[in-house]
Amino acid sequence: MKIAYTIVRVLMGALFVFSSAAYFFQLIPTPELTGNMKEFNEGLTASGYFMTLLKGTEFVCGIAFIVGRLVPLASIVIAPVVINIFFVHVFLAPEGLPIAIFLVVASGFVAYYNRNIYKPLFDVK
């Protein structure tokens, strides 16, 4: 199971690092968006800071996943991002759903693998 954990962790980290690098260095042309997805993306971009914060968080967590350090913390930090990615693709851009499903499953697997680290967080005394 440790080999599977390492593979999933590194793949997820690589996905986050490459997507944030593509954003910061404009490696991939931005696809033409339409409808509600266009409005959603314009709203995030109009804030002026959000996309940089989001991609910076993805980059830092991706590096943590690839290197294997602070993975439980990175999993907690990236969880809301993964949930948002999933629901954006469910409701606004279904063409990206396979990657979103991979991220949800991979995040769940990484969290399950580290479940003993999270256990004290849920101890109610």
Side-chain angles (χ1 to χ4, degrees):
M1 184 144 123
K2 184 172 177 135
I3 293 171
Y5 167 73
T6 303
I7 291 170
V8 168
R9 178 178 52 79
V10 169
L11 284 174
M12 193 167 64
L15 184 63
F16 284 126
V17 167
F18 290 134
S19 74
S20 59
Y23 172 79
F24 285 125
F25 299 114
Q26 298 165 348
L27 301 175
I28 301 171
T30 306
E32 187 64 35
L33 302 174
T34 60
N36 290 337
M37 186 62 195
K38 181 178 181 179
E39 287 183 46
F40 179 75
N41 196 45
E42 286 173 352
L44 293 178
T45 305
S47 70
Y49 76 94
F50 186 78
M51 289 304 288
T52 303
L53 174 67
L54 175 66
K55 294 302 179 179
T57 302
E58 287 180 6
F59 183 77
V60 170
C61 290
I63 293 294
F65 286 135
I66 290 170
V67 173
R69 301 281 308 206
L70 301 172
V71 172
L73 177 61
S75 293
I76 291 171
V77 170
I78 206 71
V81 174
V82 170
I83 291 167
N84 191 55
I85 289 169
F86 177 72
F87 282 114
V88 162
H89 288 293
V90 166
F91 292 109
L92 300 176
E95 62 275 2
L97 201 52
I99 293 174
I101 291 170
F102 165 75
L103 283 175
V104 169
V105 171
S107 293
F109 180 71
V110 169
Y112 177 77
Y113 189 85
N114 292 305
R115 67 190 176 279
N116 291 331
I117 295 170
Y118 301 124
K119 210 176 268 189
L121 297 173
F122 297 104
D123 280 342
V124 178
K125 297 180 183 186

